[in-house]
């Protein structure tokens, strides 16, 4: 089967630039059956029992699951009888003049994160014992081998390289690197059964323990609560144009009755999500994403996709089907947590915020503060001119604007005004100075900074282009308003370089709670319809031990997000 695929697709694959396509990419038509059908049924049509069901329903264990597929031959011959056929468990470092027989699970491009230069082609391989190892084709040999995910290959001669220390997709200490004398051939009818896939699942606690370590990439399975802020319903419509422009989407996810997390799908994973989401007759509920990276974003644990990530839903593979079965029998448990409540940053007063900054163990973290705007600080520019490509500050060059970000590859920069507004705020405990950056300003005034700057120059045609625009009335009108600010405690705050706190987001005002009728000599009971707080959902105490402890200390584990850096670097 794989050989016929190669004949049909060889001209296409050779002509196109390798894109690390998965079974749900441009080879979707060819490989979708392999992933969906062979992973779920044997040739006789009976269901395959996947070891993915070994994942405990309480989400307390991480389990690798191999999905087997029977070969078309009547008798299976172990490759152990072949003196020159090597299992993955025997692969060692250094040159190897032996043969490997494996199934290609998936392959993708490896690029320099800054320059986007192609480094090579990475692969995930599985042998007949269900062992998984990473493969690698150096950049100079990319395109020399015709690869199709799901096919079985024999590789003659290779080099055992040391597995990388960051973002590992397999447990093996070696990587199969294609060398100058490597020969790759398709095995149409493998004499042994080789599993279709293997997954390594982590639960919330395990992701939390490995957060920001950048070592191993594990797989996630759960059910979706929100997609880009929209509740999962039969009528949900994805804004594909907006997703393509931002290059990512956010899905609130939950495994069984555990905490809700944010799952960010980037680039190809985002486009694959949209295609799969639309392909279902009804709105899918279950999502399985491979090789995700756990990190702190906005002060909370989040998962982000990588170049190696694959996206599956509902009935695509056995683990997602197993979870869908659980979900159908436990809908009350799965629906009892509100995603918005659980994932929001910890709340703090201004006094608690400054007390936290003084802690010797304090780290970069995000908090939600409710404060009233006392004044808009004038005397300095309330905006800056940014690069239209990455939003970094742009400065004047000899003939044009130049981006200040060395990683930005944009040669011709168009200046765009962005908010850089300092405001004086207060609450019942303390005063502070907040600086509002970028889109947070639009959330305050309802207008982009570029719109306010353009409006000023349209009304004052005689002023020079480099004239500093005074603080607009739209900003001055916010004085006296009370808002919920998501603020970031930065390294500059922790090192004592500044007490100015950065605002990353301004939340919309909360809807007022319904007022119950007053009953004489009675204490009004709490309505069952009220949303519980994150601490109430998780069962933890919400009290403060002191100004710098309790709920403020919970958020101290948040470390600096690089989500913005990722979008800037393209």
């Amino acid at each position: 089967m794989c050989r016929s695929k190669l004949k049909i697709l060889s001209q296409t694959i050779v002509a196109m630039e390798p894109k690390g396509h998965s079974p749900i990419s441009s080879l979707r038509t060819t490989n979708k059956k392999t992933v969906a059908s062979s992973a779920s049924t044997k040739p006789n049509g009976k269901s395959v029992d996947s070891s993915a069901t070994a994942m405990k329903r309480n989400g307390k264990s991480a389990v690798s699951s191999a999905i087997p597929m029977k070969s078309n031959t009547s008798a299976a011959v172990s490759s152990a009888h072949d003196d020159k056929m090597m299992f993955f468990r025997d692969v060692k470092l250094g040159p190897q003049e032996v043969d490997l027989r494996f199934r290609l699970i998936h392959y993708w491009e490896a690029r320099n994160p800054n320059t986007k230069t192609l480094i090579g082609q990475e692969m995930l391989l599985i042998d007949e014992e269900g062992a998984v190892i990473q493969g690698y084709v150096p950049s100079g040999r990319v395109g020399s081998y015709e690869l199709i995910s799901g096919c079985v290959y024999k590789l003659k001669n290779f080099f055992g390289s040391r597995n990388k220390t960051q973002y590992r997709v397999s447990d093996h200490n070696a990587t199969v690197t294609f060398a100058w004398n490597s020969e790759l051939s398709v095995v149409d009818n493998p004499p042994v059964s080789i599993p279709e896939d293997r997954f390594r699942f982590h639960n919330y606690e395990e992701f939390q323990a490995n957060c920001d370590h950048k070592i191993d990439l594990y797989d996630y399975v759960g059910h979706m609560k929100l997609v880009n802020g929209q509740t999962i319903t039969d009528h949900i419509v994805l804004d594909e144009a907006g997703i393509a422009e931002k290059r990512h989407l956010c899905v609130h996810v939950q495994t069984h009755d555990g905490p809700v997390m944010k799952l960010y799908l980037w680039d190809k994973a985002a486009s694959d999500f949209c295609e799969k989401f639309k392909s279902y007759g009804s709105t899918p509920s279950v999502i399985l994403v491979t090789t995700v990276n756990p990190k702190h974003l906005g002060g909370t644990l989040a998962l982000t996709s990588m170049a190696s990530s694959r996206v599956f839903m509902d009935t695509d593979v056995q683990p997602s089907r197993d979870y869908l079965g659980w979900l159908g029998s436990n809908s009350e448990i799965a629906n009892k947590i509100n995603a918005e409540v659980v994932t929001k940053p910890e709340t703090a007063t201004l006094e608690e915020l400054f007390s936290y900054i003084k802690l010797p163990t304090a780290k970069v973290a995000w908090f939600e503060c409710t404060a009233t705007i006392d004044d808009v600080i004038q005397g300095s520019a309330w905006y800056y001119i940014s690069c239209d490509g990455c939003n970094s500050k742009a400065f004047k060059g000899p003939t044009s604007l130049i981006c200040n970000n060395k990683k930005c590859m944009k040669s011709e920069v168009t200046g765009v005004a962005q908010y850089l507004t300092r405001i004086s705020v207060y609450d019942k405990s303390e005063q502070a100075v907040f600086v509002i950056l970028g889109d947070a300003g639009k959330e305050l005034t309802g207008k982009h900074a570029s719109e306010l700057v353009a409006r000023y120059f349209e009304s004052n045609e005689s002023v020079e282009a480099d004239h500093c625009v005074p603080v607009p009335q739209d900003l001055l009108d916010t004085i006296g308003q009370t808002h919920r600010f998501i603020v970031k405690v930065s390294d500059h705050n922790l090192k004592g370089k500044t007490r100015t706190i950065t605002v990353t987001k301004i939340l919309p005002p909360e809807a007022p709670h319904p007022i119950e009728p007053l009953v004489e000599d009675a204490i009004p009971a709490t309505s069952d319809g009220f949303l519980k707080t994150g601490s109430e959902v998780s069962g933890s105490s919400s009290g403060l031990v002191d100004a710098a402890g309790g709920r403020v200390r919970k958020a101290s584990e948040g470390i600096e997000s690089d989500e913005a850096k990722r979008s800037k670097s393209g």
Side-chain angles (χ1 to χ4, degrees), residues 15 67 89 177 208 222-223 229 274-275 312 348 409 430 445:
I67 304 177
R89 57 179 161 83
T177 299
Q208 181 70 57
H223 58 279
C274 292
E275 283 197 43
F312 302 105
M409 306 299 290
E430 183 62 275
T445 66

Side-chain angles (χ1 to χ4, degrees), residues 113 116 246-248 264 266 295-298 304 366 384 389-392 405 407-408 437-439 488 502 504 559-570:
K116 305 305 177 187
K246 294 181 178 179
R247 296 177 39 229
H248 77 278
Y264 290 91
W266 285 86
K295 60 171 66 176
H296 280 109
L297 298 177
T304 64
W366 285 258
Y384 73 100
C390 69
N391 290 339
S392 298
N405 181 9
K407 297 179 181 180
C408 181
L437 296 177
D439 291 339
K488 175 186 176 182
T502 300
T504 61
I559 73 169
E560 185 168 9
S561 162
D562 64 351
E563 179 189 12
K565 296 178 183 177
R566 180 171 186 173
S567 61
K568 289 180 180 180
S569 63

Side-chain angles (χ1 to χ4, degrees), residues 33-325:
K33 289 185 178 179
T34 305
V35 174
S37 61
S38 66
S40 60
T41 60
K42 295 181 181 180
N44 60 9
K46 294 182 180 180
S47 297
V48 173
D49 295 327
S50 169
S51 61
T53 55
M55 186 172 69
K56 295 181 181 178
R57 296 310 187 199
N58 59 9
K60 294 299 182 182
S61 65
V63 178
S64 296
S65 66
I67 304 177
M69 185 181 74
K70 290 281 187 179
S71 67
N72 294 326
T73 57
S74 57
V77 181
S78 172
S79 65
H81 295 161
D82 190 332
D83 294 336
K84 299 192 67 177
M85 194 67 69
M86 179 181 283
F87 290 125
F88 285 169
R89 57 179 161 83
D90 298 320
V91 172
K92 297 179 175 58
L93 302 182
Q96 314 276 324
E97 294 185 353
V98 293
D99 295 348
L100 292 177
R101 183 168 52 222
F102 55 82
R103 186 182 302 280
L104 173 60
I105 297 177
H106 180 48
Y107 66 99
W108 62 95
E109 287 183 347
R111 290 186 176 274
N112 184 296
N114 298 328
T115 65
K116 305 305 177 187
T117 304
L118 181 67
I119 299 174
Q121 204 167 43
E122 295 184 284
M123 297 174 284
L124 194 61
L125 316 174
I126 187 168
D127 69 6
E128 60 198 70
E129 292 187 324
V132 172
I133 198 169
Q134 184 163 351
Y136 178 70
V137 179
S139 59
R141 299 189 182 99
V142 171
S144 302
Y145 309 98
E146 296 178 339
L147 304 175
I148 296 181
S149 298
C151 285
V152 176
Y153 294 92
K154 184 176 77 171
L155 178 66
K156 182 180 181 63
N157 302 328
F158 64 94
F159 189 89
S161 305
R162 191 176 303 278
N163 198 358
K164 56 187 180 180
T165 57
Q166 287 190 330
Y167 304 129
R168 295 191 302 235
V169 297
S170 72
D171 298 322
H172 206 292
N173 65 349
T175 294
V176 174
T177 299
F178 285 46
W180 66 272
N181 59 343
S182 295
E183 298 177 13
L184 185 70
S185 58
V186 176
V187 181
D188 280 330
N189 297 300
V192 293
S193 174
I194 299 181
E196 182 76 14
D197 210 331
R198 200 181 86 167
F199 300 97
R200 305 187 304 164
F201 293 108
H202 260 191
N203 57 35
Y204 178 88
E205 290 78 12
E206 290 161 327
F207 279 126
Q208 181 70 57
N210 290 279
C211 190
D212 301 301
H213 290 178
K214 301 179 181 179
I215 301 176
D216 288 291
L217 302 176
Y218 287 91
D219 308 328
Y220 174 83
V221 64
H223 58 279
M224 296 179 279
K225 308 284 287 186
L226 303 171
V227 177
N228 273 353
Q230 298 184 77
T231 305
I232 300 295
T233 66
D234 290 336
H235 306 291
I236 184 172
V237 178
L238 300 178
D239 180 11
E240 294 186 69
I243 292 171
E245 181 182 357
K246 294 181 178 179
R247 296 177 39 229
H248 77 278
L249 60 85
C250 176
V251 185
H252 284 68
V253 293
Q254 179 186 9
T255 299
H256 302 303
D257 58 350
V260 176
M261 294 182 286
K262 290 182 179 179
L263 170 63
Y264 290 91
L265 301 178
W266 285 86
D267 298 324
K268 188 177 183 303
S271 62
D272 287 346
F273 176 93
C274 292
E275 283 197 43
K276 280 192 164 290
F277 198 90
K278 293 187 303 179
S279 68
Y280 276 83
S282 58
T283 302
S285 303
V286 175
I287 185 169
L288 188 159
V289 182
T290 65
T291 61
V292 294
N293 181 31
K295 60 171 66 176
H296 280 109
L297 298 177
T300 59
L301 173 64
L303 307 176
T304 64
S305 68
M306 305 292 285
S308 56
S309 296
R310 295 174 290 153
V311 179
F312 302 105
M313 293 181 185
D314 282 8
T315 59
D316 287 344
V317 289
Q318 190 61 46
S320 62
R321 283 193 293 275
D322 291 340
Y323 192 93
L324 185 63

Side-chain angles (χ1 to χ4, degrees), residues 399-411:
T399 58
S400 62
L401 289 174
I402 300 174
C403 181
N404 195 42
N405 181 9
K406 295 180 179 179
K407 297 179 181 180
C408 181
M409 306 299 290
K410 198 170 179 64
S411 56

Side-chain angles (χ1 to χ4, degrees), residues 8-17 27:
I8 295 172
L9 297 173
S10 60
Q11 293 181 345
T12 304
I13 296 175
V14 171
M16 67 186 290
E17 181 185 4
L27 300 180

